[in-house]
Amino acid sequence: MTSRPRPHASELPPASLEGWYVLHQSIELDWTGLQRTDPGEAGEALRRFAALAERWSAGAERGWSGVYRVAGSGIDFLILHFRDTFDRLIEADGEMKLSAWGDHVLVREEYLSVVELGLYSLTRELSGRTDPEDREAWDAAVADALAEERRKGYVRRRLAPRQPEHMPYVCTYPMNKRRNPGQNWYTLSLEERAELMAAHGRLGRRFAGRIVQVISGSMGLDDWEWAVTLWAADPLEFKAIISEMRYDGASAEYADFGPFVVGKRMVGEEIEGLLPSVPAR
Ligand code: 76R
């Protein structure tokens, strides 16, 4: 018997709230170029970049950027930019690329997304009270519920994430939910997705205090569907949470992952201190 694709009605997406825009930049130092550059000039460019990085870390109201030293992945640094508007994200990007230091680095990968809270349990609850087929009533109910969510302090804090000082390590990777025949996240009912995400959330909350996670959505913004960004006080926490989640339904059945990048946040003096190692190479 040949199996034919089953026709299906469109499923209900979860309502979501969006927060800060995010740009992940994977950066390599232009070592060869640096060796040919006058050390005084390169040193000055690096000092100015370190000062910029300090400024980026400090201004936290409308966003911030962090510079991380990376081990592996064929790159030297990750820069993570969070900004409250897309326009300010472009500005931050330009500040780095157009600076004198921008002449000494090679940007290898960039990833654009926006912090996203997927509100599965809320959407499920609403669909019990309001008929999603009644577009007008549904849109109004969703808008009301989202406005109420946005008033909550802890929701606002998650939409504008800060890296805890005692968690200097970062782990980040892009992620998709599968769209395979017989294993398609996007044709599961809201009920099934809400169940899987509730179990995912329960597992995630067991890591409270050990991992801070930022999920940023990139449908329509970049090549994958989400970026996952984790911070921890110990890089082994990344291995622990990601291993556990691999066995949990939502990831085990439905998740595909892109390349992982792991690094440690640098402070200004560490950035400035980088250069003495350059001429020695
Ligand atoms: O409401 C709830 O109970 C669940 C809250 C929640 C959602 C909606 C949540 C909690 N996540 C959600 C959505 Mn998550 N998350 C990941 C990864 O490596 C892997 O296997 C997956 C990568 C990690 C490590 C992680 C951690 N999460 C999502 C989504 C969007 C899905 C969609 O919309 O269809 C993705 C792609 C995703 C992936 N998640 C948590 C965590 C942790 C630690 C928590 C608990 C956080 C907390 O309660 O503060």
Side-chain angles (χ1 to χ4, degrees), residues 14 116-121 158 173 175 177 185-186 193 197-208 211-213 215 226 228 230 241-242 245-246 251 255 257 260:
E116 174 187 292
L117 293 190
L119 303 166
Y120 273 101
S121 49
R158 289 191 62 175
Y173 51 98
M175 188 180 152
K177 287 283 173 70
W185 178 254
Y186 297 92
R193 279 172 290 133
M197 290 316 293
H200 166 83
R202 281 192 298 276
L203 201 170
R205 279 191 292 276
R206 296 222 313 267
F207 286 83
I211 291 270
V212 167
Q213 123 275 24
I215 300 303
W226 292 276
V228 179
L230 309 172
I241 191 171
I242 288 159
M245 286 201 168
R246 284 297 149 96
S251 297
F257 303 94
F260 282 67

Side-chain angles (χ1 to χ4, degrees), residues 59-102:
E61 270 320 299
R62 305 187 61 190
W64 59 277
S65 310
V67 180
Y68 302 82
R69 187 82 167 94
V70 169
S73 303
I75 54 168
D76 298 303
F77 305 101
L78 171 76
I79 305 184
L80 199 47
H81 301 279
F82 291 94
R83 290 297 183 279
D84 60 347
T85 65
F86 184 74
D87 296 21
R88 295 190 73 244
L89 193 70
I90 299 177
E91 260 172 51
D93 176 42
E95 278 182 300
M96 197 281 290
K97 287 183 186 152
L98 306 177
S99 72
W101 187 242

